[in-house]
Amino acid sequence: MATKTQSPRDAQLQPVPSAEDEAGQAYFDKIIAEDSRIEPADWMPAGYRKTLTRQISQHAHSEIIGMQPEANFITRAPSLKRKAILMAKVQDEAGHGLYLYSAAETLGTPRDELFDQLLSGKAKYSSIFNYPALTWADMGAIGWLVDGAAIVNQVPLCRASYGPYGRAMVRVCKEESFHQRQGFEILLELASGTPAQKQMAQDAVNRFYAPALMMFGPNDDESPNSQQSMRWNIKRFSNDELRQRFVGMIQEQVRVLGLTLPDDEIRFNEETGKWEYGELDWNEFYEVLKGRGPCNAQRMERRREAHENGAWVREAAAAYAAKKAQKAQVA
Amino acid sequence: MSGESATRITPGNALRPEDVAERVAGGVQVGEDVGEYALRLGDDALILAQRLGWWISRAPELEEDVALGNIALDLLGHARSFLTYAGSAWGKTEDDLAYWRGESEFRSCFLVEQPNGDFGKTIARQLVFSIFQHELYSRLVDSADETIAAISAKALKEVDYHRDHAIQWTIRLGDGTEESKRRIQAGLESVWPYVAELFQDDELIERLGGVAAHPSEMRAPFDALMAQVLDEAGLELPDVQPAMTGGRGGKHSEHLGYILAEMQVIAREHPGATW
């Protein structure tokens, strides 16, 4: 039987069981049972480390790729106030990427390596960003629906068992709620504007509604990894629980906007106490995930281009820092 | 150069664009000369913000996405304040001025209109402009016009950080690798023809007296600091002739038309709309 070649990092992630591991596992189990926090220096199972590294870095990559559809409108924002708000928002996303890469680094994988995983296509980012931002109203729909879905997903993560992740999420969520409000405000302004503006707003909501719902991931029976994440207190609610909570939330808010959601099957089921909605096109979800969305290639190309064009700058900064350090040593 | 964050200005001390708008709404109105001067200040900041905004999501490091974004955002804030104030001369808002003027009505200098180029050129442009703007605002905090003085006081704290950022990067690139040294030097050569325009006096400046700062008086301190930075970075002062320019009189580089086409397109598709 052919054995899979292990990278040095994979090897690190497969600790040889020892007495220390047994004590570590016992401590880890106790912390999880108490719903308390695991910190970077604590012993943790290899699977826990791997799952978290994957989840946190995917989240970081999503922030970074997610800058693109909005950055696309910075130079065209139709008022100076909106331009300022949008710039601040996209800049926040770079900041979120930074906290999250830092949180992931505490698990032992450096940022450069995580970047390489993104650029090589090994690591994923949220599929929502593979849809194009076509009109100014998309800035509203992205803020309201995409950031709105992100908040519903992320608020429970503030209590994630891994300390650095949970703490990063507290700050991320505060800023996300601001982002969602600005998206809602853009749509509100458009919906009460000229007929062309209102139409632009409705069109944006129509296009982003289903992709936003799919941000919660596949239905629960299609999501095998969720159970383990819930046992580890990383994930607190299932994909479907979060999704139906989000549908209820936006169903209320869309009325204030004077717009509609493109699904006439949305209703509150009194018996189950849950929101119900029309079946989503999961085929499309998997197609986009496999790289066949409208913008997958474009997003990756832009990221790769920025990374490659910046290589000489990073090399210069490193060379300068090394010279400084050498001078300091001599002195 | 303070290490204070440019985004942490105490609310009580900061004059925001909204505060300027409130003053204007309360009846503060400027004469056309002061309006014209405020347009120059606002347009330089606006066009440079527009240029720098392009970098967000394209910078060499995430930290630079944040830093260049921050600088662009600060400049946009200055632009909004100055344009709001300038607009009071003609009953126009910041958006009327930003989105509905044509090229020849802009008063920006050639330097800020120059393309971003690579990171080296952007930093070279930042170095020149932030040293100039620092000298400018340091003088305008004592302007005889109270609003210009107040906007400049807030802006100066931010430009102090922009200048520091540009100086640090110039030194790092100059003293980094051969490649980075070549690129930052090329960036400096490329923007240098547009330095002289920043320091030209004209009749408007003379008429404004204590309201404006004399550009020609800022050249010596600009040269002194520039020489010091280039020396530390191991770079050469460019030996390049100044270009014929005319931004203050509405004669621009070819670049401005494209900048405005992009900036104004959505607003102009929807005349009379609010956002």
Side-chain angles (χ1 to χ4, degrees):
Chain A
M1 196 175 78
T3 47
K4 203 177 139 202
T5 320
Q6 281 195 338
S7 76
R9 184 154 309 280
D10 284 342
Q12 271 178 32
L13 294 175
Q14 312 278 334
V16 181
S18 67
E20 197 191 343
D21 289 335
E22 275 167 35
Q25 181 73 52
Y27 175 78
F28 177 85
D29 292 343
K30 178 172 159 280
I31 293 286
I32 297 296
E34 284 172 355
D35 201 359
S36 190
R37 283 205 149 146
I38 303 294
E39 295 298 337
D42 293 342
W43 187 96
M44 62 187 89
Y48 179 82
R49 187 185 298 274
K50 199 171 168 182
T51 298
L52 274 166
T53 303
R54 187 178 56 224
Q55 179 170 338
I56 300 173
S57 65
Q58 261 182 26
H59 188 171
H61 300 329
S62 301
E63 295 282 356
I64 301 314
I65 297 291
M67 291 167 73
Q68 291 184 28
E70 292 174 291
N72 187 26
F73 275 87
I74 287 176
T75 52
R76 289 179 293 163
S79 80
L80 296 186
K81 184 181 163 196
R82 291 289 173 206
K83 189 192 287 286
I85 294 170
L86 186 62
M87 257 187 202
K89 176 180 194 280
V90 182
Q91 191 199 28
D92 278 353
E93 284 155 9
H96 296 175
L98 280 171
Y99 317 143
L100 289 163
Y101 283 123
S102 301
E105 283 188 319
T106 64
L107 292 160
T109 314
R111 204 208 291 185
D112 285 350
E113 207 172 305
L114 297 170
F115 264 175
D116 287 343
Q117 291 172 2
L118 171 66
L119 296 175
S120 70
K122 188 182 160 205
K124 299 279 181 224
Y125 56 86
S126 179
S127 269
I128 189 83
F129 302 117
N130 291 317
Y131 289 89
L134 299 174
T135 70
W136 173 252
D138 290 12
M139 299 302 97
I142 290 174
W144 179 49
L145 293 174
V146 176
D147 294 332
I151 292 169
V152 170
N153 221 344
Q154 291 168 11
V155 166
L157 291 174
C158 296
R159 293 190 289 128
S161 57
Y162 188 57
Y165 190 30
R167 289 188 288 271
M169 291 317 298
V170 171
R171 182 154 176 191
V172 169
C173 283
K174 278 185 192 162
E175 293 178 350
E176 290 293 354
S177 86
F178 201 64
H179 294 175
Q180 194 204 12
R181 281 204 330 245
Q182 69 87 38
F184 185 82
E185 205 203 346
I186 288 176
L187 290 177
L188 191 60
E189 190 78 37
L190 293 174
S192 50
T194 66
Q197 283 178 304
K198 185 166 184 178
Q199 194 192 348
M200 196 196 296
Q202 183 63 60
D203 169 64
V205 169
N206 291 351
R207 280 183 289 113
F208 278 96
Y209 168 78
L213 257 59
M214 291 193 261
M215 284 172 69
F216 297 97
N219 289 332
D220 291 348
D221 45 11
E222 301 281 328
S223 182
N225 295 328
S226 287
Q227 288 306 317
Q228 180 60 66
S229 279
M230 287 175 83
R231 278 195 293 275
W232 276 330
N233 292 346
I234 299 172
K235 202 172 162 71
R236 301 281 176 167
F237 302 97
S238 79
N239 295 354
D240 287 331
E241 278 174 315
L242 292 169
R243 187 166 17 243
Q244 68 88 24
R245 186 181 294 178
F246 176 66
V247 170
M249 189 180 95
I250 59 173
Q251 175 68 8
E252 303 278 312
Q253 293 173 355
V254 79
R255 292 200 201 118
V256 181
L257 289 173
L259 299 172
T260 56
L261 297 175
D263 178 356
D264 38 23
E265 291 175 47
I266 297 174
R267 66 181 196 101
F268 187 72
N269 184 328
E270 298 283 351
E271 266 173 44
T272 59
K274 288 186 174 178
W275 286 89
E276 291 171 357
Y277 45 88
E279 192 50 46
L280 295 163
D281 182 358
W282 289 105
N283 248 348
E284 178 177 306
F285 177 80
Y286 289 110
E287 283 293 297
V288 177
L289 201 64
K290 282 178 204 152
R292 291 190 281 271
C295 299
N296 296 59
Q298 179 191 334
R299 301 287 185 242
M300 286 308 293
E301 193 180 316
R302 161 86 80 84
R303 183 87 299 268
R304 206 170 284 128
E305 199 177 77
H307 192 71
E308 285 167 9
N309 289 345
W312 69 271
V313 179
R314 295 189 299 275
E315 280 160 21
Y320 178 75
K323 284 184 201 175
K324 286 280 272 193
Q326 205 172 17
K327 272 184 203 158
Q329 218 169 27
V330 173
Chain B
M1 280 158 259
S2 75
E4 195 185 349
S5 162
T7 55
R8 281 187 205 146
I9 305 285
T10 330
N13 297 332
L15 187 69
R16 300 166 307 139
E18 289 77 8
D19 300 326
V20 179
E22 221 166 89
R23 287 189 188 196
V24 170
V28 169
Q29 195 194 347
V30 296
E32 290 207 0
D33 276 356
V34 176
E36 180 76 14
Y37 187 59
L39 274 187
R40 293 182 182 185
L41 300 169
D43 285 347
D44 277 357
L46 175 60
I47 301 302
L48 188 55
Q50 182 74 5
R51 281 296 195 205
L52 290 175
W54 178 89
W55 277 105
I56 306 175
S57 77
R58 292 180 172 93
E61 280 278 25
L62 279 178
E63 284 83 350
E64 280 306 300
D65 280 304
V66 175
L68 292 171
N70 224 348
I71 294 169
L73 201 49
D74 288 342
L75 289 166
L76 184 57
H78 311 169
R80 294 184 60 205
S81 293
F82 281 125
L83 292 181
T84 300
Y85 191 47
S88 69
W90 303 283
K92 291 191 184 297
T93 65
E94 53 174 328
D95 287 338
D96 292 336
L97 292 172
Y99 293 94
W100 298 93
R101 275 182 303 158
E103 266 178 86
S104 65
E105 295 166 289
F106 271 76
R107 295 292 176 259
S108 45
C109 62
F110 272 49
L111 179 75
V112 295
E113 297 167 10
Q114 296 308 303
N116 287 325
D118 65 4
F119 186 73
K121 181 166 172 180
T122 288
I123 291 299
R125 192 183 57 199
Q126 279 307 106
L127 181 70
V128 170
F129 193 75
S130 62
I131 294 179
F132 158 73
Q133 209 182 30
H134 196 276
E135 292 299 326
L136 177 65
Y137 289 155
S138 303
R139 286 164 178 75
L140 290 181
V141 296
D142 298 320
S143 168
D145 184 294
E146 199 185 300
T147 306
I148 289 183
I151 299 169
S152 302
K154 173 182 191 273
L156 180 60
K157 292 182 192 167
E158 298 172 346
V159 173
D160 193 37
Y161 159 84
H162 305 175
R163 189 178 67 164
D164 189 38
H165 174 263
I167 289 175
Q168 298 299 331
W169 268 115
T170 302
I171 293 170
R172 215 174 278 140
L173 296 178
D175 193 16
T177 61
E178 280 306 307
E179 170 81 347
S180 66
K181 183 175 188 155
R182 181 185 67 72
R183 286 181 184 251
I184 182 73
Q185 185 70 49
L188 287 164
E189 310 279 333
S190 155
V191 299
W192 211 258
Y194 314 107
V195 171
E197 184 185 21
L198 302 173
F199 301 100
Q200 283 163 5
D201 296 338
D202 64 8
E203 284 173 13
L204 178 71
I205 300 291
E206 300 306 330
R207 284 203 302 276
L208 283 170
V211 169
H214 269 78
S216 60
E217 287 173 13
M218 297 179 237
R219 184 70 202 235
F222 170 90
D223 284 340
L225 180 54
M226 185 60 80
Q228 197 188 317
V229 173
L230 296 187
D231 181 59
E232 191 174 344
L235 297 167
E236 302 288 332
L237 193 70
D239 183 17
V240 180
Q241 292 297 313
M244 286 182 205
T245 51
R248 304 303 183 207
K251 286 182 186 162
H252 295 280
S253 66
E254 286 183 344
H255 308 298
L256 185 65
Y258 292 93
I259 297 173
L260 297 186
E262 186 173 357
M263 184 171 82
Q264 298 173 336
V265 62
I266 297 177
R268 288 190 175 210
E269 274 175 20
H270 301 270
T274 54
W275 303 94

